[in-house]
Amino acid sequence: ELKVEQNPLFLSMQEGKNYTIYCNYSTTSDRLYWYRQDPGKSLESLFVLLSNGAVKQEGRLMASLDTKARLSTLHITAAVHDLSATYFCAVDMLTGRDDKIIFGKGTRLHILP
Amino acid sequence: DSGVTQTPKHLITATGQRVTLRCSPRSGDLSVYWYQQSLDQGLQFLIQYYNGEERAKGNILERFSAQQFPDLHSELNLSSLELGDSALYFCASSVGLAGVPDTQYFGPGTRLTVL
């Protein structure tokens, strides 16, 4: 069974600090997505990671993928209040007709000014 | 504004009924995805269409069905509704070239309430 675990599920941090959200998954995959969701809003695609060692950066957010460890990280550098949101990772397991995209439970990030 | 539109925004109906949710993808996008978000189940992938054909199927119940039309808009049909079907339903679209996963653009969602 494909499981995707994010941790922490809730994170409260001060502006200016660095932190990392972890996304572990249980089955081989080399396709991983990160999304952001603001309260009461829809989802926004942040990163698409398609190979082992992939690293992508956008502003203060950097995502990486280690397919051997089945681990992706989302690193936040010098956090600002605007980054407060819930962040989801999702793993794409393409196996023909039973293709599945499985989401983690999300990490609610609260950045204190 | 992502360019993806969904109608209706809100839908309230009774158990046992049938509803249709509509999604118009961004101009030029060939792939459409449907997702369900609820407090109990979290985010779940339901189904993906590419240029009118089903490409991937997730945890979509047999009571649910979807299709993508020649003009690329998509509809998600939910029948024999149960209380547990109450959720936010999002669609997303992407260019979808040659089966390569790419950035998805999400619509604002349809909030379904089953009473």
Coordinates of all heavy atoms in Angstrom, one line a residue, chain A residues 23-57:
Chain A
C23 N 8.7 14.7 3.6 CA 7.7 13.9 3.0 C 8.3 12.5 2.7 O 9.1 12.4 1.8 CB 7.2 14.6 1.7 SG 6.0 13.6 0.7
N24 N 7.8 11.5 3.4 CA 8.3 10.2 3.2 C 7.2 9.4 2.5 O 6.0 9.5 2.8 CB 8.6 9.5 4.6 CG 9.8 10.1 5.3 OD1 10.9 9.7 5.1 ND2 9.5 11.1 6.1
Y25 N 7.6 8.5 1.6 CA 6.6 7.6 1.0 C 7.1 6.2 0.9 O 8.3 5.9 1.0 CB 6.3 8.2 -0.4 CG 7.5 8.4 -1.4 CD1 7.9 7.4 -2.3 CD2 8.2 9.6 -1.3 CE1 8.9 7.6 -3.1 CE2 9.3 9.8 -2.1 CZ 9.6 8.8 -3.1 OH 10.7 9.1 -3.9
S26 N 6.2 5.3 0.8 CA 6.5 3.9 1.1 C 6.8 3.0 -0.2 O 7.2 1.9 0.0 CB 5.3 3.3 1.8 OG 4.1 3.4 1.0
T27 N 6.6 3.5 -1.4 CA 6.8 2.7 -2.6 C 7.6 3.5 -3.6 O 7.6 4.7 -3.6 CB 5.4 2.3 -3.2 OG1 4.6 1.7 -2.2 CG2 5.6 1.4 -4.4
T28 N 8.3 2.8 -4.4 CA 9.2 3.4 -5.4 C 8.4 4.4 -6.3 O 7.3 4.0 -6.8 CB 9.8 2.3 -6.3 OG1 10.6 1.4 -5.5 CG2 10.7 2.9 -7.3
S29 N 8.9 5.5 -6.4 CA 8.3 6.5 -7.3 C 9.4 7.6 -7.6 O 10.2 7.9 -6.7 CB 7.1 7.2 -6.7 OG 6.7 8.3 -7.5
D30 N 9.4 8.1 -8.8 CA 10.3 9.2 -9.1 C 9.5 10.5 -9.5 O 10.0 11.3 -10.3 CB 11.3 8.8 -10.1 CG 10.7 8.3 -11.4 OD1 9.4 8.4 -11.5 OD2 11.4 8.0 -12.3
R31 N 8.3 10.6 -9.0 CA 7.4 11.7 -9.4 C 6.8 12.2 -8.1 O 6.0 11.5 -7.5 CB 6.4 11.3 -10.4 CG 6.9 10.7 -11.6 CD 5.8 10.1 -12.4 NE 6.3 9.4 -13.6 CZ 5.8 9.6 -14.9 NH1 4.8 10.4 -15.0 NH2 6.3 9.0 -15.9
L32 N 7.1 13.4 -7.8 CA 6.6 14.0 -6.5 C 6.3 15.5 -6.7 O 7.0 16.2 -7.4 CB 7.7 13.8 -5.4 CG 7.1 14.1 -4.0 CD1 7.6 13.1 -3.0 CD2 7.5 15.5 -3.6
Y33 N 5.2 15.9 -6.1 CA 4.7 17.2 -6.2 C 4.6 17.9 -4.9 O 4.3 17.2 -3.9 CB 3.3 17.2 -6.9 CG 3.1 16.3 -8.1 CD1 2.7 15.0 -8.0 CD2 3.4 16.8 -9.4 CE1 2.5 14.3 -9.1 CE2 3.3 16.1 -10.5 CZ 2.8 14.8 -10.4 OH 2.7 14.0 -11.5
W34 N 4.7 19.2 -4.9 CA 4.5 20.0 -3.7 C 3.4 21.0 -4.1 O 3.5 21.6 -5.1 CB 5.7 20.7 -3.2 CG 6.6 19.8 -2.4 CD1 7.7 19.1 -2.9 CD2 6.6 19.4 -1.0 NE1 8.3 18.4 -1.9 CE2 7.6 18.6 -0.8 CE3 5.7 19.8 0.0 CZ2 7.8 18.0 0.5 CZ3 5.9 19.2 1.3 CH2 7.0 18.4 1.5
Y35 N 2.5 21.2 -3.1 CA 1.4 22.2 -3.3 C 1.3 23.1 -2.1 O 1.6 22.7 -1.0 CB 0.0 21.5 -3.6 CG 0.0 20.5 -4.7 CD1 0.2 19.2 -4.6 CD2 -0.3 21.0 -6.0 CE1 0.2 18.3 -5.6 CE2 -0.3 20.1 -7.1 CZ -0.1 18.8 -6.9 OH -0.1 17.9 -8.0
R36 N 0.7 24.2 -2.3 CA 0.4 25.1 -1.2 C -1.1 25.4 -1.3 O -1.7 25.5 -2.3 CB 1.1 26.4 -1.4 CG 0.7 27.6 -0.5 CD 1.4 28.9 -0.8 NE 0.7 29.9 0.0 CZ 1.4 31.0 0.5 NH1 2.7 31.1 0.3 NH2 0.7 31.9 1.2
Q37 N -1.7 25.5 -0.1 CA -3.1 25.8 0.0 C -3.3 26.9 1.1 O -3.0 26.6 2.3 CB -4.0 24.6 0.3 CG -5.5 24.9 0.2 CD -6.3 23.6 0.4 OE1 -6.0 22.7 1.2 NE2 -7.5 23.6 -0.3
D38 N -3.9 28.0 0.8 CA -4.2 29.0 1.7 C -5.6 28.7 2.3 O -6.4 28.1 1.6 CB -4.2 30.4 1.1 CG -2.8 30.8 0.7 OD1 -1.9 30.7 1.6 OD2 -2.6 31.3 -0.4
P39 N -5.9 29.2 3.5 CA -7.2 28.8 4.1 C -8.3 29.2 3.3 O -8.4 30.4 2.8 CB -7.1 29.6 5.4 CG -5.7 29.8 5.7 CD -5.0 29.9 4.4
G40 N -9.2 28.3 3.0 CA -10.4 28.6 2.3 C -10.2 28.7 0.8 O -11.1 29.2 0.0
K41 N -9.0 28.4 0.3 CA -8.6 28.6 -1.1 C -8.3 27.3 -1.8 O -8.3 26.3 -1.1 CB -7.4 29.5 -1.2 CG -7.6 30.9 -0.6 CD -8.5 31.8 -1.3 CE -8.5 33.2 -0.8 NZ -9.5 34.1 -1.5
S42 N -8.1 27.4 -3.0 CA -7.7 26.2 -3.8 C -6.2 25.9 -3.7 O -5.5 26.5 -2.9 CB -8.1 26.5 -5.3 OG -7.8 25.3 -6.1
L43 N -5.8 25.0 -4.4 CA -4.4 24.5 -4.4 C -3.6 25.3 -5.4 O -4.1 25.7 -6.5 CB -4.3 23.0 -4.6 CG -4.8 22.1 -3.5 CD1 -5.4 20.8 -4.1 CD2 -3.7 21.9 -2.5
E44 N -2.3 25.5 -5.1 CA -1.4 26.1 -6.0 C -0.2 25.1 -6.1 O 0.4 24.7 -5.1 CB -0.9 27.4 -5.4 CG 0.2 28.1 -6.3 CD 0.8 29.3 -5.6 OE1 0.3 29.7 -4.5 OE2 1.8 29.9 -6.2
S45 N 0.2 24.8 -7.3 CA 1.3 23.9 -7.6 C 2.6 24.7 -7.3 O 2.8 25.8 -7.8 CB 1.2 23.4 -9.0 OG 2.3 22.5 -9.3
L46 N 3.5 24.1 -6.5 CA 4.8 24.7 -6.2 C 5.9 24.1 -7.0 O 6.6 24.8 -7.7 CB 5.1 24.6 -4.7 CG 4.2 25.3 -3.8 CD1 4.6 25.0 -2.3 CD2 4.2 26.8 -4.0
F47 N 6.1 22.8 -6.9 CA 7.2 22.1 -7.5 C 6.7 20.8 -8.1 O 5.9 20.1 -7.5 CB 8.3 21.9 -6.5 CG 8.9 23.1 -5.9 CD1 8.6 23.4 -4.6 CD2 9.7 24.0 -6.7 CE1 9.1 24.6 -4.0 CE2 10.2 25.1 -6.1 CZ 9.9 25.4 -4.8
V48 N 7.4 20.4 -9.2 CA 7.2 19.0 -9.8 C 8.6 18.5 -9.8 O 9.5 19.0 -10.5 CB 6.6 19.1 -11.2 CG1 6.5 17.7 -11.8 CG2 5.3 19.7 -11.2
L49 N 8.9 17.4 -9.1 CA 10.2 16.7 -9.0 C 10.1 15.4 -9.7 O 9.3 14.6 -9.4 CB 10.6 16.6 -7.6 CG 10.6 17.9 -6.7 CD1 10.8 17.5 -5.3 CD2 11.7 18.8 -7.2
L50 N 11.0 15.2 -10.7 CA 10.8 14.0 -11.6 C 12.0 13.1 -11.6 O 12.0 12.1 -12.4 CB 10.5 14.5 -13.0 CG 9.2 15.3 -13.2 CD1 9.1 15.7 -14.6 CD2 8.0 14.5 -12.8
S51 N 13.0 13.3 -10.8 CA 14.1 12.4 -10.8 C 14.9 12.4 -9.5 O 14.8 13.4 -8.8 CB 15.1 12.7 -12.0 OG 15.6 14.0 -11.8
N52 N 15.7 11.4 -9.3 CA 16.5 11.3 -8.1 C 17.4 12.5 -8.1 O 18.1 12.7 -9.1 CB 17.2 10.0 -8.0 CG 17.9 9.8 -6.7 OD1 17.4 10.2 -5.6 ND2 19.1 9.3 -6.7
G53 N 17.5 13.2 -7.0 CA 18.5 14.3 -6.9 C 17.9 15.6 -7.4 O 18.6 16.6 -7.3
A54 N 16.7 15.6 -7.9 CA 16.1 16.8 -8.4 C 16.0 17.8 -7.3 O 15.6 17.5 -6.1 CB 14.7 16.5 -9.0
V55 N 16.4 19.1 -7.6 CA 16.3 20.2 -6.6 C 15.7 21.3 -7.4 O 16.1 21.7 -8.5 CB 17.6 20.6 -6.1 CG1 17.5 21.8 -5.2 CG2 18.3 19.4 -5.3
K56 N 14.6 21.9 -6.8 CA 14.0 23.1 -7.4 C 13.9 24.2 -6.4 O 13.6 23.9 -5.2 CB 12.7 22.8 -8.1 CG 12.8 21.9 -9.3 CD 11.6 21.9 -10.1 CE 11.8 21.1 -11.4 NZ 10.6 21.0 -12.2
Q57 N 14.0 25.4 -6.8 CA 13.9 26.6 -5.9 C 13.1 27.6 -6.5 O 13.1 27.9 -7.7 CB 15.3 27.1 -5.5 CG 15.3 28.2 -4.5 CD 16.6 28.5 -3.9 OE1 17.6 27.9 -4.3 NE2 16.6 29.4 -2.9

